[in-house]
Amino acid sequence: MGIGLALAILGAALAIGLAGSGSAIGVGIAGETGSGVITEDPKKFGKILLLQALPGTQGIYGFLAGFWVMMKLNLLATPIQISPQVGLQILFACLPIAIAGFISGIYQGRVASAGCGLVAKKEEETGKAIIFAAMVETYAVLGLLATILLLNGIQVG
Amino acid sequence: MPIAKLAKIKLIALIEEKDKILAALQKFGVLQIEETEIQKEAVDIKHESKLGELKQAIRLLEAYAPLKKSFLENFVSTKSPATEEDLWNGFHKFNYGEIIEACKNHETYIAHATAAEAKIGADLLALEPWKSLPFPTKKLHESEYFFFFSGKIFKHLFEKLKSSLAAISPSLSIEIVNQNKNDYFIIVAGPKEEHAETQKALIKEGFDFIELPSTQKEISKEIESLKSQVKLSQSEVAAAVAEIQKLAVHKFQLMCAYDFVNCHRERVSAAHKAMQTAYTFVLTGFIKESLIPKLDKIISKTSPNHAIYKIEIKPDEEVPVLIENASFLKPFEVLTRIYGLPKSSEVDPTPLLSVFFILFFGMCLGDAGYGLTLILVSLWLKRKIPKGTNPSLLNLLIWGGVVTSIIGFLQGGFFGIELYVFPEPIHNAMTKIQLIDPRRDPLIMLIIALALGVVQILFGLLISMLMKFRDKKFMDGILDHGLWIYYIVSVILFGLTQAGVVTFISASLSSKLALAAVIALIITQGRKQKNILMKIGGGFLSLYSTVGFVSDILSYSRLLAIGLGTTVIAMVVNIIALMTKDSAPIIGFLIMIVILIIGHAFNLAVSTLSAFIHSARLQYVEFFSKFLEGGGKEFKPFTKETQYVKLSD
């Protein structure tokens, strides 16, 4: 396996690993608060679960980007050999979702956690809590978009 | 599109008919009664305390005898259906007082028993180290000539303690009663005259004083008797819990009684809102204008001597808001309500957002297989959810499923399967329908997404302009919104001619058009400033709004990203499933099926959620901000409000 391919794999790994970590932290934060709300009122389970799931998308976006790299390089069968330059290009193209996914996942978790507090006090306003959390996600979506467009522009093989 | 027209009315009738009229009004449920300034609502202690007791009993029954819930019921709040008669019976025919009393007694008993158990537990813990003492400790405590100290000491300090005590007096005795990993539990005893010195030495040597509980019996016997006490009390608590569970059959009746009292209380509080003279009372309130004649008729039935007349709404008065839409648009009201209702002077955005929302939703999901599944699942859920639950959200998902299927076929997406996998005729048909493959041409999809953004933003500005026209502010409408529409269109046109995409007008003409727009904005946007310099400055500054419009439009790129997300995850599921297929005969195939089902179900759930949220966000943040302020107060007619049961006819 050439260094080019290794660099590309590093890109995919960062996208999946960092964005996934962001999501894990975010879902964790929201889950902690959510459990507290449930001790008071187990009937709110459905709504709290929804809020907790929100910061989970960054991990999916990261995985998606990583998978895009795997598809592009045919990593699941016989990998296409690429030059180190192309490998670096792919690595850099993966960074938007890796970085934005990591940080926005954490912050979305914090907003979702605050949203759990909102649901605890005013259950009928759940929709607003969800929208607040979704505002943060925008930047992960843009990161993913940038990564996909960049990957799409890179010529391999 | 306009919000339902509400009128403010005064209803005057005879005092002796007040109760009957209020009951009729509550049943009809169309009038929102205004609080008068003179009669502030008094706290209704009688009803509140009864409600409190009922609620406490219901809560207890729910805690000790919870109903089994299906997973689905975690997501919808369920109320058992009940008739008016059930409510009446619950209050009048059912001895709820007895049940409340029983619940209270059991609850108090359980609370006391649990507290007592906790105390016994602590006592047991304190006795535990001393259990090998073969005599009642009371004897030690009551000794006349001897003192004693009880406590523990680290094992490695024990020898030193022993020698320093021996140095004080040979008559001191040290007894190891018990030990754990680190400590010896010891009792030091001696004649009273050595008391002070021994204590000093013990403190110095690091002895940890622990009080020895005083017992009548031998400690081991004491422990046994305490343990049997705990057992007895536990079995009694269990019996009390069983009693409570038996009472749970009355839960429904309690709920009915609660809601009966609640309705009654509402009526009493409505009665407080009326102003009255010696013989008549007056109610003021809001009602849908078209329902006034009907109200008149209903009141006439109970009380022919009454008058209803419309009164003028003051310009600065806050009128409650009632939005009404055709039945096929009803599901979209969910979206408007999440944002909050428009003000009474604004428009109802429900029909305006409906087409965009559903289109965006379809683009975000963008897979025909998922669309069809979503329709089926929603239809199934609609049958499963308890009666009386609002099905709006499910109806919305059915709509979303339909649009998703259409867009999915146009994009050639079917559970993320590559089209060439399908047999020839299906493959051919599907490729014929397919207009675009977003995975191969993401740029084209991006342009479509952004174009939709431009359309929706222009549409928002247009609505804003029309609202100004409606209020007869033609100048503001044209300059504040019309001009911006022209500006955005001309700048985009300029860009397109520069790029050579648009050729029906020349590049120079389009640049002049755009320049004209910029100049017009600079001249007009500062017009409300007083000083001439500020007027020009304001004009220039307004151009900065362009940044806002650009970022709004770019925000629509999420339609592409989320749509791709759904498709690619679907593909991933397929690929992983296929990898397992040949791993082992038969079992491999079964694993593949399991992965396919779980994987696609997961993707459908997650993608539907994010399709919904992001499509909604585009409405709220990018679209509503162009024409809607929101913050209207919902029209809440005086009606039978129930907490636990759902009233059915």
Side-chain angles (χ1 to χ4, degrees), chain A residues 8 68-69 72-73 82-83 85-94 146-157:
Chain A
W68 200 283
V69 173
K72 199 171 175 75
L73 300 178
I82 50 173
S83 65
Q85 285 88 337
V86 175
L88 264 184
Q89 286 170 6
I90 290 179
L91 168 59
F92 290 153
C94 286
T147 296
I148 287 178
L149 292 176
L150 287 170
L151 283 176
N152 206 50
I154 297 171
Q155 298 294 324
V156 294

Side-chain angles (χ1 to χ4, degrees), chain B residues 7-54:
Chain B
K8 194 172 183 183
I9 58 159
K10 264 195 202 308
L11 165 67
I12 305 177
L14 297 175
I15 278 191
E16 62 255 35
E17 278 157 354
K18 192 172 172 184
D19 286 343
K20 271 198 284 176
I21 289 179
L22 282 171
L25 278 176
Q26 192 176 28
K27 194 161 184 203
F28 195 34
V30 291
L31 185 70
Q32 175 176 331
I33 299 172
E34 282 253 291
E35 232 168 87
T36 52
E37 273 165 41
I38 312 156
Q39 295 265 359
K40 278 286 173 216
E41 210 173 312
V43 178
D44 185 349
I45 294 170
K46 195 180 106 202
H47 288 113
E48 289 294 350
S49 71
K50 195 171 277 175
L51 286 174
E53 285 178 342
L54 280 164

Side-chain angles (χ1 to χ4, degrees), chain A residues 38-113:
Chain A
I38 297 300
T39 55
E40 283 292 317
D41 187 358
K43 282 196 220 95
K44 294 188 173 129
F45 175 70
K47 287 171 175 160
I48 296 291
L49 185 70
L50 198 66
L51 269 174
Q52 196 201 352
L54 288 181
T57 32
Q58 278 81 352
I60 297 175
Y61 295 155
F63 181 71
L64 210 148
F67 194 77
W68 200 283
V69 173
M70 295 181 213
M71 295 293 287
K72 199 171 175 75
L73 300 178
N74 203 19
L75 278 171
L76 297 173
T78 344
I80 302 169
Q81 289 304 322
I82 50 173
S83 65
Q85 285 88 337
V86 175
L88 264 184
Q89 286 170 6
I90 290 179
L91 168 59
F92 290 153
C94 286
L95 292 184
I97 184 57
I99 298 167
F102 181 65
I103 298 194
S104 75
I106 298 170
Y107 278 85
Q108 193 171 3
R110 288 170 60 164
V111 179
S113 161

Side-chain angles (χ1 to χ4, degrees), chain A residues 43 45-46 50 54 60 63-64 67-68 71 76 127-128 130-131 134-135 137-138 141-142 145 148-149 152, chain B residues 69 74-75 338-339 442 446 557-558 560-561 564-565 568-569 571-572 575 606 609 613-614 617 620-621:
Chain A
K43 282 196 220 95
F45 175 70
L50 198 66
L54 288 181
I60 297 175
F63 181 71
L64 210 148
F67 194 77
W68 200 283
M71 295 293 287
L76 297 173
K128 295 185 171 97
I130 292 175
I131 294 296
M135 297 301 286
E137 191 167 305
T138 302
V141 175
L142 292 179
L145 190 68
I148 287 178
L149 292 176
N152 206 50
Chain B
K69 273 185 172 183
N74 279 317
F75 294 88
I338 289 176
Y339 183 79
L446 182 62
S557 64
R558 77 184 67 227
L560 161 69
L564 273 179
V568 176
I569 299 279
M571 282 174 53
V572 174
I575 290 170
V606 170
L609 178 64
I613 294 170
H614 284 279
R617 175 229 139 98
Y620 300 152
V621 182

